[in-house]
Amino acid sequence: MKRYWLFLWLTPFFFAESGCQGPVHEKTPDKKWWKEAVVYQIYPRSFKDSDGDGIGDLKGIISKLDYIKSLGVDVVWLNPIYSSPNDDNGYDVSDYRNIMQDFGTMADFDSLINGMHRRGIKLVMDLVVNHSSDEHEWFKQSRSSRTNRYRNYYHWWNAERGKPPSRYSLFDVNHDAWRYDSVTNAYYLHYFSRKQPDLNWENPDLRKEVYGIMKFWADKGIDGFRLDAFQFAAKDTSFPAFPEGYEKKFQLYYAMGPHLHDYLKEMNHEVLSRYDVMGVAEGAGNSFEDAHDLVDADRNELNMAYAFDGVDIAKPEGYSLLHFKEVFSRWDSAFAVNGWLSLFLSNHDQARLVSRFGNDSPEFREPSAKMLATFLMTMRGTPYYYNGDELGMTNIRFTKITDYRDMSIKNEYQHQKDIHADTLQFLERAKFASRDNGRTPFQWDGGPNAGFTTGIPWIPVNPNYMYINAALEEKNPNSCLNYFRKLVLFRKNNPVLVYGKYEMLDKDNPQVYAYTREMEGKKILVLLNFSAKNTRADVKVSLADPKPLLSNYSENPTEVSGHSGFALRPYEATIFQLQ
Ligand code: NOJ
């Protein structure tokens, strides 16, 4: 049975052990607004519904701008809001210059961006141009005849040449990325679903169209683009055969194809360099070198990338903190001087942060959610925080396939059935990993549907909204929400957390992640207990007068053995100033 079924595209991108070590003398990286930002990601479909149709919308977000401002975040990343038939919840765009009907109108968008900018919040939008929807006018034209002027906007393989060499589709029921189309007796390529045909970046006309679209949004005042799946955009269009079994490591074959950097340089020249916008890539290639090539300032391509090997560590059976520490330390050292990274442990493609990396039992949900937030807010890089995680929202754990809304899991379930695999086991794993866990409606209050909608929500609300919701947490000074606010403010007031040198302490401790951040004479110690047990951190730093700055427990940890060891309570997070 295939073991690599669950959202394969989220699996680690097989980063080469580059042996890249942190330089001995680190200079402080150049200062930029997007390095200092805390990004709050909003999944519009599930955030707030204003008109009772059960689907979140732009007016809903507008009604919550003061809440977003109150978090202290400076950038919102909005998942796609463009016209779309919603095969993949907006990641299948049918008109890049229009707003999805479910979400509202362009006038709503203008009010949204004005409302954000008035509050000092920047807006980053998804740019989904590895593929479009099959309902995009370009594709309708392209499929209509072999000589249509849009034919080469996509990848076609004429059937008289025989079957094209195998390509793996992440979302297709059969995982076959070539779909036969009888209209012109040819196959088209789709790395994602059948309704998401891949665009042909070799075609300069297509590239010009994309830059035009980017300018359209940049002229409207947006502050950045998150390039969806872009590392897959460039292909070897001779479509050579890949070795048997390539699909288990398809990223090695798909990522960073020929001319990708040429396209990015062109995009930078044509659009990004002409505005004060940031560009962030989903995926960081197959090695540190790839990641640097995407983001190093002197290359004039993008500003940040996000790699998956941190987020992919969590497994239903648990994960090793030693592994976690090793991965984050390795990435930090590789980007200590050049380039810049995004920090995240959850997003709309993941299950909930506290359910995957923490402990969502009633006893430990709050401390572990706060501890994870402390981690993300004290590492080097730009933290991305997914809506609802600031409340400590948890996985819903659907039990039946009919509960799910995500096309990718429905298709995979069908695939598992077709190959006579154990579908019960599949559903069990999905309770932990499915993307729909992270897409249930935002829990605003204890009223009907958690205050998300007055209608029927497009996806069920997690029944725990009665006791996990923003209204309750507002009132509690020790809630996850209020702790998150404190943390964001703390990061803002301590640039050492953005730019400072990172050093791991107590490296072999399997329960504690301890590190310092240091810059311009200021040194901060972060102690994180990743376990449900009382434990001890042996940090071996000399603390003349350790000053506790922030903790997820109301009392400071008890020091043991002079000034070098600390007793930590379950999921305790404590920050000290050392200098
Ligand atoms: C990555 C997006 O984050 C995910 O939600 C989407 O399904 C795929 N790209 C395809 O666009």
Side-chain angles (χ1 to χ4, degrees):
M1 184 191 118
K2 289 185 180 167
R3 296 289 305 151
Y4 49 92
W5 48 262
L6 206 58
F7 313 132
L8 246 184
W9 63 276
L10 300 174
T11 57
F13 277 13
F14 302 98
F15 299 99
E17 297 285 332
S18 66
C20 199
Q21 293 301 318
V24 185
H25 302 293
E26 284 182 15
K27 78 171 187 17
T28 305
D30 293 340
K31 300 198 169 168
K32 296 280 179 210
W33 66 261
W34 40 266
K35 293 184 180 173
E36 292 170 20
V38 173
V39 181
Y40 183 66
Q41 183 191 347
I42 293 184
Y43 198 64
R45 213 173 179 74
S46 304
F47 195 62
K48 175 70 185 164
D49 175 22
S50 72
D51 59 4
D53 66 358
I55 299 172
D57 48 42
L58 300 187
K59 283 200 170 116
I61 302 175
I62 293 169
S63 72
K64 295 295 181 187
L65 284 177
D66 287 336
Y67 170 82
I68 297 165
K69 178 71 186 163
S70 79
L71 298 174
V73 299
D74 0 49
V75 174
V76 164
W77 158 26
L78 208 54
N79 289 102
I81 54 168
Y82 317 103
S83 304
S84 164
N86 276 310
D87 183 51
D88 187 16
N89 287 359
Y91 281 96
D92 46 321
V93 180
S94 53
D95 182 351
Y96 290 94
R97 291 173 201 247
N98 251 315
I99 303 292
M100 188 193 298
Q101 264 178 12
D102 289 343
F103 290 165
T105 62
M106 195 56 92
D108 297 337
F109 174 81
D110 292 338
S111 314
L112 176 66
I113 191 165
N114 287 336
M116 283 184 178
H117 284 169
R118 257 202 323 274
R119 289 170 178 82
I121 302 170
K122 295 184 188 288
L123 175 62
V124 169
M125 304 255 288
D126 245 289
L127 181 70
V128 191
V129 289
N130 169 69
H131 47 270
S132 73
S133 162
D134 67 341
E135 296 183 33
H136 194 291
E137 189 55 30
W138 297 337
F139 190 72
K140 290 186 192 161
Q141 296 282 338
S142 182
R143 87 194 305 180
S144 67
S145 96
R146 290 189 180 184
T147 53
N148 188 283
R149 74 167 275 248
Y150 290 95
R151 183 66 167 180
N152 288 330
Y153 273 43
Y154 298 86
H155 299 283
W156 291 96
W157 180 280
N158 293 338
E160 60 272 18
R161 296 173 69 192
K163 271 214 84 173
S166 160
R167 288 294 180 270
Y168 178 81
S169 161
L170 287 86
F171 292 165
D172 196 82
V173 180
N174 306 320
H175 292 298
D176 182 353
W178 290 107
R179 177 84 180 150
Y180 178 71
D181 197 45
S182 59
V183 182
T184 56
N185 188 34
Y187 299 86
Y188 68 85
L189 184 72
H190 61 93
Y191 278 179
F192 294 92
S193 90
R194 296 172 187 181
K195 289 187 64 61
Q196 295 169 293
D198 282 43
L199 289 162
N200 179 4
W201 272 76
E202 272 188 7
N203 183 340
D205 292 342
L206 177 270
R207 300 204 300 275
K208 222 168 129 198
E209 300 253 23
V210 171
Y211 306 146
I213 290 163
M214 291 175 77
K215 284 183 194 154
F216 173 82
W217 290 102
D219 286 338
K220 277 192 160 291
I222 75 162
D223 305 284
F225 297 94
R226 176 255 187 198
L227 273 67
D228 181 72
F230 198 73
Q231 57 175 356
F232 297 159
K235 281 119 183 151
D236 177 345
T237 51
S238 68
F239 294 108
F242 292 153
E244 204 171 320
Y246 79 92
E247 68 278 7
K248 292 182 193 133
K249 292 186 174 181
F250 70 92
Q251 299 94 330
L252 285 179
Y253 299 86
Y254 282 13
M256 316 305 287
H259 308 301
L260 188 83
H261 292 294
D262 299 334
Y263 303 151
L264 283 171
K265 280 193 193 322
E266 187 179 69
M267 180 188 284
N268 186 292
H269 175 75
E270 294 292 324
V271 188
L272 299 174
S273 61
R274 296 171 192 240
Y275 300 83
D276 185 16
V277 291
M278 66 174 237
V280 49
E282 184 199 25
N286 293 314
S287 65
F288 287 151
E289 204 185 337
D290 284 348
H292 274 288
D293 286 352
L294 288 168
V295 303
D296 281 1
D298 53 356
R299 293 181 51 90
N300 297 321
E301 296 187 20
L302 296 171
N303 305 117
M304 285 187 247
Y306 58 88
F308 293 102
D309 61 349
V311 79
D312 279 337
I313 289 172
K315 296 281 176 296
E317 49 285 358
Y319 65 97
S320 145
L321 180 65
L322 293 178
H323 181 200
F324 185 96
K325 295 199 288 190
E326 184 272 322
V327 165
F328 279 95
S329 302
R330 188 153 43 88
W331 273 97
D332 181 84
S333 69
F335 285 81
V337 175
N338 286 329
W340 196 252
L341 285 173
S342 318
L343 293 164
F344 76 110
L345 285 175
S346 59
N347 62 26
H348 65 291
D349 291 328
Q350 309 289 333
R352 282 285 166 190
L353 174 64
V354 70
S355 303
R356 291 184 77 227
F357 284 96
N359 181 332
D360 64 10
S361 69
E363 192 181 357
F364 295 124
R365 182 186 66 84
E366 283 198 22
S368 66
K370 291 174 184 170
M371 184 277 293
L372 291 164
T374 315
F375 167 70
L376 287 163
M377 292 299 157
T378 55
M379 288 290 284
R380 178 155 49 186
T382 299
Y384 284 62
Y385 221 74
Y386 183 59
N387 59 188
D389 285 343
E390 76 274 24
L391 307 179
M393 279 177 63
T394 66
N395 279 5
I396 190 163
R397 300 194 170 87
F398 290 134
T399 51
K400 305 186 297 297
I401 190 66
T402 47
D403 291 335
Y404 286 96
R405 301 290 182 270
D406 179 10
M407 155 279 289
S408 76
I409 191 162
K410 286 172 183 288
N411 285 355
E412 191 54 47
Y413 181 82
Q414 188 55 46
H415 177 72
Q416 296 293 309
K417 258 173 103 171
D418 293 348
I419 62 170
H420 307 293
D422 184 346
T423 49
L424 285 179
Q425 195 197 7
F426 176 84
L427 287 176
E428 212 36 52
R429 281 183 75 91
K431 285 184 192 168
F432 176 81
S434 150
R435 320 199 277 187
D436 275 347
N437 282 301
R439 297 177 177 185
T440 61
F442 193 96
Q443 295 167 201
W444 290 107
D445 56 44
N449 298 316
F452 163 68
T453 179
T454 53
I456 300 168
W458 71 277
I459 186 169
V461 174
N462 192 319
N464 65 18
Y465 75 90
M466 298 300 285
Y467 59 93
I468 303 175
N469 65 62
L472 271 183
E473 296 198 24
E474 277 300 345
K475 289 188 228 138
N476 173 2
N478 296 321
S479 63
C480 292
L481 173 60
N482 282 317
Y483 183 76
F484 177 74
R485 288 176 171 143
K486 267 189 234 161
L487 268 175
V488 176
L489 194 63
F490 182 69
R491 188 174 174 94
K492 298 273 145 206
N493 291 336
N494 288 283
V496 59
L497 294 175
V498 178
Y499 297 111
K501 178 174 151 234
Y502 155 95
E503 192 182 345
M504 178 163 50
L505 309 174
D506 204 4
K507 176 169 167 279
D508 299 323
N509 190 325
Q511 284 158 327
V512 175
Y513 199 166
Y515 46 91
T516 53
R517 302 293 313 280
E518 187 175 2
M519 187 178 79
E520 291 162 6
K522 187 158 185 182
K523 192 165 184 180
I524 282 186
L525 169 69
V526 182
L527 301 177
L528 306 170
N529 180 0
F530 270 69
S531 82
K533 299 206 176 85
N534 285 314
T535 187
R536 180 195 146 95
D538 278 313
V539 289
K540 296 196 180 55
V541 284
S542 122
L543 310 180
D545 182 19
K547 191 167 138 217
L549 297 175
L550 197 72
S551 171
N552 63 348
Y553 275 75
S554 46
E555 288 139 34
N556 293 322
T558 338
E559 274 176 56
V560 289
S561 64
H563 282 305
S564 67
F566 290 88
L568 292 171
R569 287 152 288 190
Y571 297 108
E572 177 157 359
T574 297
I575 306 175
F576 285 99
Q577 182 161 334
L578 300 184
Q579 285 166 12

